[in-house]
């Protein structure tokens, strides 16, 4: 048996298979921020949590009325871990107090990115989540082996330009897959 280096799925989408039973991930597409031998971290990009940026700004700056734009900017349920913590995925280039460079993207976790977006001086494209998805070492690989997910390279136009309710099918279409044609039954040869 040949040993090979593990394949990193960083900057890939995880597309939930139709039989995904976990309500945190059923019918979702997740952007993988990191994937290495220690585990993986991702953000669900198509599951709004019912809040918008105005709701968040009312908590962060209660003395100011949020800009009208903030009412139309949804906050997504990024995953079941640290659901009280915000994450903003945006193109690289802009630096905030806590920004992790991910190649062509940046992930900011400090409040100043939210203030910049609310004030109209932040990144042009962004996705705001509360919480993230996390996998321990080997956990994601086991889920992939169990056919819980499809994977494909991430596409920034799906991340930032498509309405959230089109992202799952658009990501699957990158693989030539129509999710509505997949069965929840697994076959064995």
């Amino acid at each position: 048996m040949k040993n090979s280096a593990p394949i990193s799925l960083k900057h890939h989408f995880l597309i939930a298979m139709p039989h995904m039973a976990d309500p945190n991930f059923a019918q979702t597409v997740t952007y993988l921020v990191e994937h290495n031998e220690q585990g993986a971290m991702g953000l669900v990009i198509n599951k709004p949590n019912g809040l918008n940026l105005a709701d968040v700004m009312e908590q962060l700056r209660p003395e100011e009325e949020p800009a009208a734009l903030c009412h139309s900017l949804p906050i997504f349920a990024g995953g079941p871990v640290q659901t009280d913590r915000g994450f903003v995925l945006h193109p690289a280039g802009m630096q905030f107090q806590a920004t992790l460079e991910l190649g062509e993207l940046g992930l900011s976790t400090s409040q100043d990115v939210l203030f910049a977006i609310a004030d109209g001086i932040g990144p042009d494209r962004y996705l705001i989540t509360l919480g993230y998805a996390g996998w321990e070492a080997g956990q994601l690989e086991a889920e992939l082996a169990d056919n819980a997910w499809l994977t494909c390279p991430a596409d920034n136009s799906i991340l930032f330009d498509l309405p959230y309710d089109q992202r799952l099918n658009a990501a699957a279409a990158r693989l030539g897959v129509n999710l509505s044609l997949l069965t929840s039954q697994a076959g064995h040869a």
Side-chain angles (χ1 to χ4, degrees):
M1 185 175 195
K2 188 164 115 180
N3 281 341
S4 61
I7 296 173
S8 173
L9 295 175
K10 180 178 179 175
H11 194 60
H12 277 66
F13 288 141
L14 290 180
I15 303 160
M17 290 290 282
H19 61 276
M20 175 69 73
D22 184 334
N24 294 305
F25 298 106
Q27 304 210 335
T28 64
V29 59
T30 301
Y31 171 78
L32 280 180
V33 172
E34 187 59 75
H35 180 227
N36 58 36
E37 60 279 348
Q38 281 91 42
M41 176 197 179
L43 300 172
V44 175
I45 66 167
N46 68 325
K47 192 174 175 183
N49 69 3
L51 298 174
N52 59 44
L53 185 56
D55 298 321
V56 173
M57 294 310 295
E58 287 169 359
Q59 299 296 315
L60 298 177
R61 294 197 294 207
E63 71 285 352
E64 291 183 33
E65 180 67 27
L69 160 83
C70 296
H71 293 279
S72 64
L73 300 176
I75 306 295
F76 291 87
V81 182
Q82 290 189 353
T83 56
D84 59 339
R85 185 162 180 206
F87 298 86
V88 180
L89 192 62
H90 55 83
M94 295 190 90
Q95 288 289 316
F96 298 94
Q97 289 174 2
T99 300
L100 174 65
E101 289 295 331
L102 305 170
E104 61 190 67
L105 297 177
L107 181 68
S108 296
T109 58
S110 48
Q111 293 179 1
D112 59 331
V113 67
L114 296 175
F115 296 146
I117 292 168
D119 295 340
I121 57 172
D124 292 335
R125 301 162 88 197
Y126 46 82
L127 182 109
I128 306 169
T129 74
L130 283 175
Y132 70 92
W135 292 264
E136 294 179 354
Q139 184 180 2
L140 179 57
E141 291 77 6
E143 291 178 15
L144 289 164
D146 287 341
N147 294 316
W149 304 99
L150 295 172
T151 65
C152 70
D155 179 329
N156 289 350
S157 66
I158 293 172
L159 271 173
F160 301 120
D161 301 333
L162 277 184
Y164 72 87
D165 58 348
Q166 296 176 21
R167 293 175 183 164
L168 177 63
N169 288 327
R174 285 185 51 98
L175 294 170
V177 172
N178 180 340
L179 291 173
S180 65
L181 299 178
L182 294 180
T183 178
S184 61
Q185 305 281 317
H188 298 284

